[in-house]
Amino acid sequence: MKKPLEHLAIILDGNGRWAKKFNQPRTYGHQKGMEKIQDFCLFAQEENIKFLTVFAFSTENWNRPKDEVDFLMKVPSQIFGENKINFFMDNDIKVGWIGRQDKIPKETFEAIIEAKNKTRNNQGLHLTIAFDYGSWEEINTCFKNIISSNPKISENLELVTTDLIKANLYTNNLPDVDLVIRTGGETRLSNFMMLQCSYAEIYFNSKMWPDFSQKDLKKAISYYNKTNRRFGGLENEEQ
Ligand code: IPE
Ligand code: IPE
Ligand code: MG
């Protein structure tokens, strides 16, 4: 079965190694990587992709040195700050966020919320930033939300449905992922949208994120277009 590519998710890896090649600090790579996100929104729009999710900071990335974490916490205000938000308005891009809301600094939280609010009526590409996101934390929060909104739920377990779980994930307004691209050469998902990617096609690429080009995206899409998505079933000719 062929399914149009609706939701593309990117694990944008390799910023640090990219910077090392130029004898620069890792934060230089993050700067370049961050700028790339904007270019990438335009590439995705050209390919008629409706949903683009970018993994920008994981729940495990707190384990990095403090100066690197401090730099990364400024990424949202750098991308969406005062003079940058026009880019998203001009290109009709709606900004969303998946991730833990109560650990990041207040300024970081406010920058994302403000971008969400300002762009909420835009109709074009839906860009979601996965920031302080991890699948284990997401499922933990999901359980807590379900139980706290109905403390007696254990008395009626029929209420615990797949739809209820989906509605309590950070991704409740997003379709499942069709294609994941991971740059940087590693072949793992690093705790990224494990449920939402359960039937996604996965494209691993050895280029570091700052080097990933529009041409590389086209190659990934052409890989996707050749895949046969069976979702557990069979193709007509296989039956
Ligand atoms: C990805 O690049 C960005 C984040 C994880 C925030 P890395 O920082 O992981 O770069 P490498 O993988 O060390 O090169
Ligand atoms: C995954 O990259 C997280 C993001 C892209 C934000 P990492 O570089 O943190 O992943 P690992 O540690 O190599 O698995
Ligand atoms: Mg990495």
Side-chain angles (χ1 to χ4, degrees), residues 128-145:
T128 301
I129 183 162
F131 201 87
D132 202 11
Y133 175 85
S135 290
W136 286 111
E137 194 284 325
E138 178 180 44
I139 206 82
N140 184 315
T141 299
C142 169
F143 283 6
K144 284 177 183 148
N145 287 346

Side-chain angles (χ1 to χ4, degrees), residues 149-212:
S149 61
N150 184 356
K152 293 198 167 157
I153 199 160
S154 67
E155 291 167 22
N156 191 357
L157 287 177
E158 257 103 85
L159 293 176
V160 184
T161 60
T162 303
D163 284 346
L164 181 71
I165 295 169
K166 284 188 180 178
N168 282 278
L169 294 175
Y170 294 130
T171 49
N172 57 13
N173 60 348
L174 296 174
D176 281 351
V177 175
D178 295 306
L179 173 65
V180 185
I181 297 176
R182 179 168 186 148
T183 61
E186 309 293 358
T187 50
R188 55 177 171 258
L189 292 176
S190 301
N191 197 16
F192 182 54
M193 298 216 281
M194 300 307 292
L195 287 169
Q196 299 85 345
C197 290
S198 50
Y199 260 106
E201 304 299 327
I202 307 181
Y203 184 84
F204 294 111
N205 188 279
S206 58
K207 281 202 178 171
M208 302 299 137
W209 170 246
D211 288 333
F212 197 79

Side-chain angles (χ1 to χ4, degrees), residues 194-235:
M194 300 307 292
L195 287 169
Q196 299 85 345
C197 290
S198 50
Y199 260 106
E201 304 299 327
I202 307 181
Y203 184 84
F204 294 111
N205 188 279
S206 58
K207 281 202 178 171
M208 302 299 137
W209 170 246
D211 288 333
F212 197 79
S213 64
Q214 184 164 19
K215 206 165 144 205
D216 294 318
L217 173 63
K218 284 185 185 293
K219 276 192 206 156
I221 293 175
S222 113
Y223 165 83
Y224 174 84
N225 287 336
K226 289 194 196 103
T227 60
N228 192 355
R229 305 194 70 197
R230 295 188 197 86
F231 297 99
L234 294 175
E235 286 297 294

Side-chain angles (χ1 to χ4, degrees), residues 11-13 55-58 61 64 130 182 186 188 190:
I11 303 175
L12 46 87
D13 199 19
F55 199 12
F57 190 86
S58 76
N61 287 147
R64 295 191 178 194
R182 179 168 186 148
E186 309 293 358
R188 55 177 171 258
S190 301

Side-chain angles (χ1 to χ4, degrees), residues 59 62 97-104 131-132 137 170:
T59 46
W62 293 102
W97 174 21
I98 54 172
R100 170 168 49 192
Q101 304 214 339
D102 58 6
K103 186 169 176 182
I104 59 174
F131 201 87
D132 202 11
E137 194 284 325
Y170 294 130

